[in-house]
Amino acid sequence: MGPPTKPLSKSWNTYNREFKEKRKQRWEEKLVKKFKQRNVDRSVEECGVINQTLRMGKSPVSTISIAVPGSIIDNAQSPELRTYLAGQIARAACIYKVDEIIVFNDKGDVPVNEDNITRKDNTLGEEGIACLQLARILQYLECPQYLRKYFFPLHKDLQYAGVLNPLDAPHHLRQQDVSLFREGVVTNKPIKSGKGSQINVGLFNHVHVDKVLTPGLRVTVKISLEQENTKKLSGIVVSPNMPRSETGVYWGYAVRLARNITEIFTKCPYVGGYDLSIGTSDKGSSIDDIFPSKLNYNHALIVFGGLSGLEAAIEQDPNLNINDPTLLFNEYLNTCPGQGSKTIRTEEAILVSLAELRKKLAPKYCPLKNLQFRKTSSSFHN
């Protein structure tokens, strides 16, 4: 017999692959351990949150909507500042748990052939450039980071997205975060016919659901935390309102466009419409005259004016023939009486108003059957 052959040395790629597999295995074991630890008292905690919320008279499905004019970003001096201003609105909405942002046109009907005024979008149709840009940036910020590449291709409106501060909302989960619910996108990964779909929810492995869904659709997935095999996760597709209704956790906002103030009310997504509407203006009555928790609501709407105020926006609406704006709203309030500056910018008014109204609003119990789905597709993401 000859001398024993020397074993071949492993290549760098082999070592690298083995290292990655071991690291992934350790992470999966750690994740399973976390799942088991957090699952012990989860059901009790969730029931406690809901019961405590209902005892306080605050239903987890009561909603707050704000309406802002798209023209406010025209007042910015540069494209970077336009983007940053939109980010300020998104941050304020997230901080105060706003469920819906309506971007409306307060300039009236604009001729389609007028340069630099209107633009045609495949999904949104013909709208003012400012309204389209504001709506797109708001949706971009609301979308979890790991999903943005699927819904937001390169676009001029998002050219300066790097200046935006992250929302860091509860549904913006990182890979190592443990959560009962996750936002995801339906993949086109091949699977047996009729055997469901694979959902990318920002984890190492996709989640399997039993429903056959259209690839590219944004969905909310409920993932059971009792699963031991993290390589083959399974879940169910649920309403995007379920995370908040079950656990009380804020789950982002929806964005829609309105061609005028009338459409803010007529295209309300909630059954029965807004039962509390509030207009904000320095010509309104003082908010100090409202007692705490006096404004009861299921679905509240707060409307803000642009550079010329709400009065000018009402005049530009061809469907409205009123001179007194107080006739349009349940309350017409000055949320910052005795202001030092002659004017308050809209992005400042949103923060001031939501802070003041937080003490005045008292949400009522709202049955789940009266709540429409908030996000069922990637409506403005194209």
Side-chain angles (χ1 to χ4, degrees), residues 58 64 96 276 278 287-297 302 333 335 351-363:
K58 298 179 180 179
I64 296 178
Y96 289 100
L276 174 63
I278 301 172
I287 194 171
D288 295 336
D289 298 335
I290 304 292
F291 291 104
S293 302
K294 182 183 178 181
L295 304 176
N296 298 321
Y297 73 95
I302 308 166
L333 301 175
T335 56
L351 275 172
V352 171
S353 301
L354 291 176
E356 289 291 332
L357 288 169
R358 180 172 170 268
K359 304 173 185 178
K360 313 295 182 180
L361 294 173

Side-chain angles (χ1 to χ4, degrees), residues 41 46 80 114 117 131 143 155 174-175 193 220 226 239 245 247 261 271 276 289 304 331 334 343 346 350 377:
D41 298 323
E46 289 179 359
E80 294 91 337
E114 191 170 337
I117 298 297
C131 295
C143 183
H155 197 280
R174 296 167 180 82
Q175 198 172 60
S193 177
T220 304
E226 298 178 352
S239 162
S245 63
T247 65
I261 287 185
V271 176
L276 174 63
D289 298 335
F304 299 90
E331 300 287 345
N334 178 5
T343 57
T346 305
I350 293 173
S377 64

